[in-house]
Amino acid sequence: MAKSVAAPLAQRPLYQEVAEHLRQQIFSRELEPGSWIDEQKLTAALGISRTPLREALKVLAVEGLVTMKLRRGAYVTEVSAQDVSQVYHLLGVLESDAAAEVARKASDAELAELNKLHEQLEAQAQQRDAFFAINEEFHHRLLQIAGNRWRSQIVNDLRKVMKLNRHHSLFRQGRVAESLAEHRALVQALLARDAEQSQALMRAHFENGLAAASAG
């Protein structure tokens, strides 16, 4: 009997590839907040038609990274002080709830995984890019363990908007050390399975992050 041949995995649609390309340009500040997105220049540079570019811009608009202005085109979103405050507030609410959930229900192996990520974070305190990446991975993994996909989806979108902030809290002098100390206390509360303390520490972590971002 002949073996069945598995169908090849479908590639991502072109507009999704374009959206990811633009997303990374926005996060790296190649496209600055408030800047106009030159569609003609981009289509020529990427060798694509306007259709996938415009579909990509719609995706980024839904994520809050791009703002569409009538008869003026697309612009990289600028975040106001109020935007930053609201995003940090929601992240604090959602991720503190997730931390409490993790303290209550995570397996020993999952808690050990979070502890290992924190140790990596400690080791990369002097390497900003690596620190940012591991910090994001820690929060992402905590949300995965908490297990609410709707919360994870909302947090993912909010974190994308937070990356638009020119005065990200971790840019402030001394904030990395403060953030590490907050993470250290949070991990200890998680390992102790103290849901109330884990929730309070995560909420405080975001409140302190907002204060640092606002001071920038």
Side-chain angles (χ1 to χ4, degrees):
M1 184 176 177
K3 291 182 179 179
S4 60
V5 179
L9 292 174
Q11 292 185 327
R12 283 202 299 184
L14 179 57
Y15 78 90
Q16 290 185 8
E17 298 287 349
V18 175
E20 179 59 21
H21 175 78
L22 293 175
R23 197 180 286 120
Q24 294 309 315
Q25 284 194 313
I26 291 169
F27 291 158
S28 67
R29 294 297 196 272
E30 289 179 61
L31 290 172
E32 286 277 352
S35 64
W36 175 61
I37 297 174
D38 188 335
E39 293 186 27
Q40 187 172 352
K41 182 179 177 181
L42 272 171
T43 53
L46 298 174
I48 59 174
S49 69
R50 285 260 176 121
T51 300
L53 176 58
R54 286 179 173 171
E55 290 301 312
L57 291 173
K58 288 177 185 176
V59 170
L60 298 178
V62 169
E63 294 176 1
L65 299 179
V66 164
T67 300
M68 310 298 290
K69 298 184 180 180
L70 188 63
R71 293 189 293 276
R72 292 170 61 191
Y75 290 76
V76 179
T77 300
E78 289 186 281
V79 292
S80 66
Q82 183 179 31
D83 291 329
V84 172
S85 177
Q86 290 174 347
V87 167
Y88 270 93
H89 172 72
L90 285 175
L91 285 172
V93 170
L94 293 166
E95 294 206 33
S96 63
D97 181 68
E101 193 73 12
V102 168
R104 283 192 290 265
K105 76 171 196 178
S107 67
D108 290 344
E110 287 169 334
L111 290 175
E113 185 181 352
L114 289 173
N115 189 42
K116 185 176 181 180
L117 281 170
H118 173 71
E119 289 173 354
Q120 292 174 19
L121 200 62
E122 296 265 14
Q124 296 297 334
Q126 304 305 315
Q127 305 295 325
R128 196 182 76 174
D129 289 346
F131 185 90
F132 273 41
I134 297 167
N135 181 62
E136 194 165 323
E137 185 179 354
F138 177 93
H139 284 269
H140 177 69
R141 186 65 187 120
L142 183 139
L143 286 162
Q144 281 186 323
I145 294 169
N148 184 322
R149 69 186 180 98
W150 301 108
R151 174 172 53 208
S152 295
Q153 182 176 314
I154 294 167
V155 168
N156 186 46
D157 285 344
L158 289 171
R159 282 187 168 273
K160 287 174 186 172
V161 175
M162 192 165 70
K163 287 182 182 180
L164 293 171
N165 182 26
R166 294 174 187 270
H167 305 297
H168 191 291
S169 65
L170 291 175
F171 293 158
R172 202 202 72 185
Q173 187 70 26
R175 179 57 191 153
V176 167
E178 292 172 358
S179 181
L180 267 177
E182 291 160 12
H183 265 262
R184 199 177 299 127
L186 171 63
V187 169
Q188 290 307 307
L190 291 170
L191 292 173
R193 297 189 177 279
D194 187 333
E196 186 175 341
Q197 181 73 345
S198 296
Q199 185 170 27
L201 287 169
M202 184 65 93
R203 180 71 72 91
H205 180 56
F206 281 98
E207 288 173 353
N208 293 339
L210 172 60
S214 301

